[in-house]
Amino acid sequence: MTIAFNKLEVRVRLAAIRANYRLLCSRGSRVIGVIKADAYGHGLTEVASALAKEGCDTFAVGTVEEGAALRRHLAATGLSSRIIVLLGPIEPDDFPPLWEHSLLPLIGSFRQLEALARQAARIGKGLDMCLKFDTGMARLGFGAEDLPRLLDRLREAPLVRPVMASSHLATADQPESVDYLMAQAERFTFILSNLAKAGYQLEANLANSAGILGHPSVHHQSQRAGIALYGANPFAGSAWEHLGRGLTPAMTVRTRIVSVHSLPRGCSISYGCTYTAERDMRVAIVAAGYADAYSRTLTGKSAQMLVAGRRAPVVGRVCMQLTACDVSDIPDARPGEWATLLGGDGPLAISPEELASWWGTISYEVFCLLGLNRRVYI
Ligand SMILES: *Cc1c(COP(=O)(O)O)cnc(C)c1O
């Protein structure tokens, strides 16, 4: 899915993703590349290939469809990496592709488990899968109280073979919430020891990016890294910011300046006339708006762009395909030149966290949404 026919250009530096992967490997054991949601907007197949070159042999995707697409790509490049499906199977059509494409589904409910066992029995073929446990997210997964029944059901369905156990941390990026994290970690350890007693010695993983960088004590046999692969610091703005130092953002977003004109003092600009020039100004009209996932929420929030190496404040409402910025102090701003919305060169580069803060969101959403635009790999 991409936004077609617009002027925005998302530039992805795969070398940065590879370097971030190496940094994460130096902090944790086996790192699983989380490339769900089109690799957080960076491109599923391109990112998988880049990570595979660094030795990544296990990927986590969002859906069965995403898993199938990745399997086709990997097979064509001669790779037989493991592919974990984080969401699903959800509906009946999701089951056959698990076998067809050797996908490792994350199974977190008896409903899913029964359906998987039925399908395995019907076709007479086993399937490796991953057990998902809820230790505090309260989203998906078996609870510790489900263990007796779960172990019974697993014994009755030998074609369905658990090879991995996962749980997800709710607060790993909040240094002030270590107690909650430790309680989750303890519940997970309890679950793992019960599985082991029943004969299931599983590869376990609990840590996300923040868990890898900030909590070595919750590392197990593998870790699941998402946001840090793409270069955003999960601890940005917190007391632990230094733990994410060395990560390099991989995504840059830029678009063209359509027009540059003067805005005399007292004149207002854009819908609703919400901004009025307090002095004689020059403004650049830039080819980016909310149809390009440059959110209208960026209106009136001190958002900036980078034009000719300088910061240009957004003025007036963000429109569907256009946004105005103040280039009064940037004589080099000209029609046809680039305006950078995310990233850029030098100390004035717009960080993912900075754009996210103007936007009222987190770097994850910035990447996923802007990543819907046309991408080029540099
Ligand atoms: C998205 C996701 C991750 C990655 O989390 P980051 O904070 O991006 O590192 C890990 N595990 C699961 C289950 C996820 O859904």
Side-chain angles (χ1 to χ4, degrees), residues 83-157:
I83 302 175
I84 300 166
V85 179
L86 296 170
L87 287 187
I90 297 172
E91 51 172 326
D93 285 353
D94 288 339
F95 287 88
L98 298 175
W99 277 263
E100 187 186 344
H101 302 292
S102 298
L103 305 176
L104 263 175
L106 217 59
I107 299 297
S109 73
F110 287 108
R111 187 171 168 276
Q112 270 182 322
L113 182 61
E114 303 297 348
L116 201 69
R118 272 198 306 278
Q119 177 75 4
R122 190 179 307 135
I123 61 176
K125 267 198 195 159
L127 186 77
D128 288 350
M129 55 90 154
C130 172
L131 290 170
K132 162 103 173 172
F133 292 96
D134 174 27
T135 57
M137 270 296 273
R139 215 169 48 171
L140 297 174
F142 295 106
E145 68 285 0
D146 293 322
L147 278 169
R149 185 175 158 208
L150 176 60
L151 291 168
D152 282 348
R153 290 304 295 125
L154 289 173
R155 272 185 221 104
E156 291 161 14

Side-chain angles (χ1 to χ4, degrees), residues 24 32-36 40 60-62 84 86-87 106 132 137 139 166-169 172-173 205-212 223-230 234 364:
L24 291 165
I32 295 168
V34 179
I35 54 174
K36 66 185 180 215
Y40 294 36
V61 298
I84 300 166
L86 296 170
L87 287 187
L106 217 59
K132 162 103 173 172
M137 270 296 273
R139 215 169 48 171
S166 301
S167 187
H168 196 40
L169 296 167
D173 55 358
N205 46 71
L206 177 61
N208 56 358
S209 296
I212 296 171
Q223 335 297 335
R224 304 182 308 270
I227 195 70
L229 285 178
Y230 309 104
Y364 297 68

Side-chain angles (χ1 to χ4, degrees), residues 352-375:
E353 293 80 20
E354 197 178 12
L355 180 54
S357 75
W358 298 325
W359 196 319
T361 185
I362 53 176
S363 56
Y364 297 68
E365 189 177 3
V366 166
F367 289 153
C368 288
L369 293 182
L370 288 177
L372 295 170
N373 294 288
R374 185 167 45 90
R375 284 187 297 253

